[in-house]
Amino acid sequence: MIETDMAITDVAVTTPAPVVSVKPVLLSTPGRGEDLQVRVSAPAVGRELPVIVFSHGFGWSLDGYAPLADFWAAHGFVVIQPTHLDSRTLSLPPEDPRTPLIWRYRVEDMKRVLDQLDLLEASVPGLGGRLDRSRIAAAGHSWGGQTASMLLGAHVLDPESGMEEDMSDSRIKAGVLLATPGRGGADLSPIAAEHFPFMNPSFADMTTPTLVVAGDRDQSHLTVRGPDWFTDPYFLSPGGKSLLTLFGAEHSLGGISGYNVAETTDEHPGRVALIQRLTWAYLRHVFYPEDPSWLATRSALADEPEPLGRVESG
């Protein structure tokens, strides 16, 4: 059944289901130094459930991004959230030899989740046999967006070898990139060039269908450019992408990283609700082309007298 909430830009969503969430599920990770902690959230009902593997932003953990994870799970997705080595919960010191390679460990974490889907599926009571392994999306916010983009086909110039490396994964069929950093080189600020040399992506080979979400007031100290830096994954990648530009949004995009989070400088529940519904509708569109939700949400947004954003595709 489809219901429409007129208070939130007329974006239609399916009726929410109860959610079962289990954490932490520990995945053995030889050579990483820490077992990989994972949270799995799933609707209590439904079969052939598509999967979203979500990469958190710098410092966060499996406990973050509840506004997105809760919504996606309540509306038919299994959401899997690994805790990367940069999480504040792990307190990895800057001098740790793994620190310069965390960008690489992050991608490996996401792939390890895919490698051990059977174990993760079994960790949630009643979830066994209900996953649709042919419909898997990668999503991420900020640094997590760069992590997800590499699974989608973006290449990063390895600061050690100077070579571009393909770390994409064919199991990933769709993506959602939220406030994801743009190209490096001359576009990086001096502090970013010095401390984050791995922030040098190429999106020329990112061919997987992807929704890019960017705020038009997201001014980062990591770039000498303006908020348009965060639209690079859309404009510098091949066609088949969509871009949601959020009006007035800063890096937290209204508060997607958590409820009542202090680092949210642009708290806006309506904006978060819009992101929830549009990301859900986009993934439904990619995984089930006959689903009308994406076209309906775009139309509803365009018809708003004072829209919170705009969508374009190319």
Side-chain angles (χ1 to χ4, degrees):
M1 182 178 71
I2 299 290
E3 60 183 19
T4 302
D5 188 340
M6 298 295 291
I8 308 176
T9 64
D10 293 340
V11 176
V13 296
T14 54
T15 303
V19 172
V20 178
S21 186
V22 175
K23 64 145 191 180
V25 183
L26 298 181
L27 302 183
S28 177
T29 54
R32 186 176 183 266
E34 304 275 352
D35 284 342
L36 181 58
Q37 300 180 39
V38 181
R39 182 183 195 127
V40 184
S41 302
V45 297
R47 303 193 63 81
E48 298 184 352
L49 301 171
V51 177
I52 301 173
V53 185
F54 186 86
S55 179
H56 62 72
F58 176 77
W60 279 92
S61 71
L62 54 75
D63 288 319
Y65 299 90
L68 294 181
D70 292 351
F71 183 89
W72 290 335
H75 294 279
F77 287 86
V78 175
V79 183
I80 303 177
Q81 298 172 265
T83 294
H84 300 302
L85 287 174
D86 58 278
S87 173
R88 287 185 289 268
T89 64
L90 299 179
S91 302
L92 199 70
E95 63 273 14
D96 190 288
R98 292 168 292 176
T99 298
L101 297 174
I102 284 180
W103 66 277
R104 182 179 292 275
Y105 281 109
R106 279 173 150 267
V107 179
E108 293 173 354
D109 290 346
M110 300 282 275
K111 292 188 175 186
R112 188 168 282 111
V113 164
L114 299 180
D115 292 341
Q116 301 195 43
L117 274 181
D118 287 347
L119 188 155
L120 293 168
E121 182 181 27
S123 71
V124 179
L127 186 58
R130 296 170 57 211
L131 295 189
D132 183 348
R133 286 167 169 75
S134 70
R135 293 184 170 97
I136 300 176
H141 174 243
S142 192
W143 196 6
Q146 176 175 301
T147 302
S149 75
M150 296 172 68
L151 294 168
L152 299 168
H155 295 176
V156 168
L157 185 66
D158 189 305
E160 296 293 329
S161 67
M163 303 291 291
E164 284 188 7
E165 186 173 353
D166 181 2
M167 299 181 73
S168 62
D169 195 303
S170 61
R171 292 172 290 186
I172 302 294
K173 306 302 183 184
V176 174
L177 303 182
L178 302 143
T180 298
R183 64 186 176 187
D187 289 351
L188 293 181
S189 65
I191 190 173
E194 178 182 357
H195 296 287
F196 309 110
F198 53 84
M199 295 185 67
N200 199 4
S202 167
F203 301 104
D205 296 295
M206 195 177 76
T207 57
T208 308
T210 300
L211 173 64
V212 177
V213 182
D216 69 359
R217 293 188 185 174
D218 188 357
Q219 182 60 61
S220 174
H221 68 281
L222 299 176
T223 182
V224 297
R225 287 169 53 193
D228 68 304
W229 189 52
F230 293 97
T231 67
D232 281 357
Y234 173 74
F235 287 109
L236 301 181
S237 62
K241 309 294 185 299
S242 292
L243 172 65
L244 168 61
T245 302
L246 295 165
F247 304 149
E250 299 175 12
H251 199 59
S252 293
L253 303 177
I256 63 170
S257 54
Y259 302 108
N260 302 316
V261 173
E263 69 181 40
T264 298
T265 56
D266 62 337
E267 184 175 3
H268 195 300
R271 189 178 295 136
V272 173
L274 179 64
I275 295 170
Q276 290 171 332
R277 284 152 176 76
L278 278 169
T279 54
W280 172 84
Y282 179 81
L283 293 177
R284 291 283 306 179
H285 161 70
V286 175
F287 290 151
Y288 311 98
E290 71 283 0
D291 191 301
S293 302
W294 176 238
L295 293 178
T297 56
R298 292 187 60 173
S299 177
L301 180 62
D303 289 342
E304 283 289 302
E306 296 183 4
L308 296 175
R310 68 172 180 271
V311 175
E312 55 195 289
S313 297

